[in-house]
Amino acid sequence: MTWQLYIGDSDIEVFLKENVFAIDATTIDLCLSTFYWAIFRQTKGGIKLHLQLNLKTAIPEFIYISTASVHEVHILDMIQFEENSFYVMDRGYVDYKRLYKIHIRNAFFITRAKSNMDCRTTERFPVDRSNGIIYDHIVVLNNFYPARDYPDKLRRIKFYDKEKKKMFIFLTNNFHLKATEIAKLFKERWKIELFFKWIKQHLKIKSFWGQSENAVKTQVWIAVSVYVLIAIAKKRFMLKQTLYEIIQILSISIFERVPINELFKQTQKQYVKEQKDKQLNIFE
């Protein structure tokens, strides 16, 4: 598997032996009159790329393509959760029944609490406010249906991000990590957003050659496959170039009868398009 090539390359701030995944989705807009099957809104079409990304390796491990009208939370029913692994999600995935399924499979979730969450505190942990932790509580849900769907205790952490000057309330079923470590793990979620931006910027998934559902999905799968193949080549041949540079060099050398490892031995800057100052980087 591709992720095995990148074991030991983790740049996550929190040291964990267990896997850490981010789950999110991105919408790709389509013209409804052309892509009639991609129903989103009355006058707008689109597809949604659902993704589970290994945050230690930046390699996707689960992908599902749906119409944009499908809500992200339903994808939790399709994912096989690994014991002791961490799953980081935004609050759009807060569904207590689905979160409890993660819990009973002995996996951990980290997400943001919804503003209308109704709960009562059963225990309070001491906190150091200089680290941005406002409170660290154990809570149980109050209302009948949420309490029925998630009958166990939860951990609720309020954190102030000094850089963004923004308050966050995290919800997790992990009671062993420090509150600051929970906040740091959630911060790692930005890598999945970076992944979406990278493939949209460098791979062709914003305009499509075919109009059928199969044609669109095939093109997206090809783009993701290219990303994974480039990631494999970078690691196996110990290439120093960025993924963007590797793609550029291969695209102009695709018909040359030269082994890949030989192709990258010499500097190929003349083949690489000038990059913008704010270039998105993965693996760097």
Side-chain angles (χ1 to χ4, degrees):
M1 295 177 68
T2 308
W3 64 269
Q4 292 175 328
L5 294 171
Y6 286 87
I7 290 177
D9 289 356
S10 173
D11 60 351
I12 291 180
E13 292 186 49
V14 182
F15 174 76
L16 291 171
K17 292 182 179 179
E18 298 80 10
N19 285 323
V20 184
F21 301 100
I23 299 174
D24 206 350
T26 187
T27 300
I28 301 171
D29 294 330
L30 297 173
C31 177
L32 189 58
S33 60
T34 303
F35 302 89
Y36 62 89
W37 50 269
I39 299 173
F40 184 21
R41 298 191 178 99
Q42 286 186 343
T43 59
K44 190 176 182 180
I47 59 171
K48 192 171 285 186
L49 177 61
H50 306 267
L51 183 74
Q52 175 187 328
L53 186 74
N54 190 320
L55 293 178
K56 288 187 174 182
T57 63
I59 300 297
E61 298 205 8
F62 171 86
I63 293 174
Y64 182 76
I65 304 169
S66 70
T67 58
S69 59
V70 175
H71 196 279
E72 291 91 335
V73 74
H74 296 293
I75 303 305
L76 296 181
D77 298 329
M78 305 174 65
I79 294 176
Q80 298 295 321
F81 296 99
E82 298 179 7
E83 186 174 347
N84 295 321
S85 293
F86 287 79
Y87 295 85
V88 186
M89 305 164 281
D90 207 357
R91 58 186 168 195
Y93 291 88
V94 174
D95 179 283
Y96 295 118
K97 183 179 289 187
R98 290 180 170 93
L99 292 180
Y100 191 63
K101 287 181 179 179
I102 299 175
H103 178 68
I104 61 178
R105 289 172 186 170
N106 296 318
F108 302 110
F109 59 82
I110 300 173
T111 184
R112 291 172 61 192
K114 290 187 175 180
S115 57
N116 62 349
M117 180 183 179
D118 187 8
C119 62
R120 65 183 183 276
T121 302
T122 61
E123 190 176 348
R124 292 177 170 86
F125 298 117
V127 298
D128 182 0
R129 293 204 169 202
S130 64
N131 292 328
I133 304 300
I134 308 302
Y135 63 67
D136 184 0
H137 295 168
I138 292 180
V139 301
V140 292
L141 299 171
N142 276 334
N143 292 335
F144 175 77
Y145 291 108
R148 182 193 63 181
D149 292 339
Y150 200 105
D152 213 331
K153 59 185 180 180
L154 288 160
R155 188 178 180 188
R156 195 167 185 251
I157 300 168
K158 191 171 186 178
F159 171 74
Y160 179 71
D161 190 328
K162 296 178 182 178
E163 295 179 3
K164 296 184 177 180
K165 296 182 179 180
K166 189 176 179 181
M167 198 74 73
F168 295 90
I169 299 178
F170 301 123
L171 201 63
T172 181
N173 64 331
N174 183 278
F175 301 93
H176 308 296
L177 294 181
K178 298 177 181 178
T180 51
E181 292 176 325
I182 296 294
K184 287 177 180 178
L185 283 178
F186 187 84
K187 189 177 180 181
E188 295 289 337
R189 198 188 69 85
W190 70 271
K191 291 181 180 178
I192 196 168
E193 298 178 5
L194 179 62
F195 175 86
F196 287 138
K197 290 179 181 179
W198 196 94
I199 61 173
K200 285 182 177 180
Q201 183 174 337
H202 298 311
L203 302 174
K204 194 174 179 64
I205 62 168
K206 296 180 73 174
S207 59
F208 297 90
W209 290 296
Q211 298 177 3
S212 69
E213 181 176 2
N214 185 61
V216 171
K217 289 183 177 181
T218 299
Q219 191 168 325
V220 174
W221 275 109
I222 290 172
V224 174
S225 298
V226 168
Y227 173 88
V228 174
L229 287 171
I230 295 299
I232 292 172
K234 179 177 174 66
K235 190 65 177 181
R236 285 192 173 171
F237 298 114
M238 295 180 288
L239 304 179
K240 296 181 180 180
Q241 290 84 353
T242 66
L243 294 187
Y244 175 78
E245 291 172 335
I246 294 171
I247 289 175
Q248 290 297 309
I249 293 171
L250 289 177
S251 66
I252 57 92
S253 310
I254 194 167
F255 294 110
E256 293 186 17
R257 299 181 65 180
V258 180
I260 291 180
N261 56 334
E262 295 290 334
L263 189 63
F264 290 93
K265 277 189 176 179
Q266 297 180 353
T267 303
Q268 302 281 341
K269 288 186 177 179
Q270 66 270 26
Y271 293 141
V272 182
K273 296 179 181 177
E274 185 177 351
Q275 300 185 44
K276 297 180 180 179
D277 293 334
K278 296 182 179 180
Q279 181 64 44
L280 299 172
N281 291 323
I282 295 182
F283 299 118
E284 282 74 60

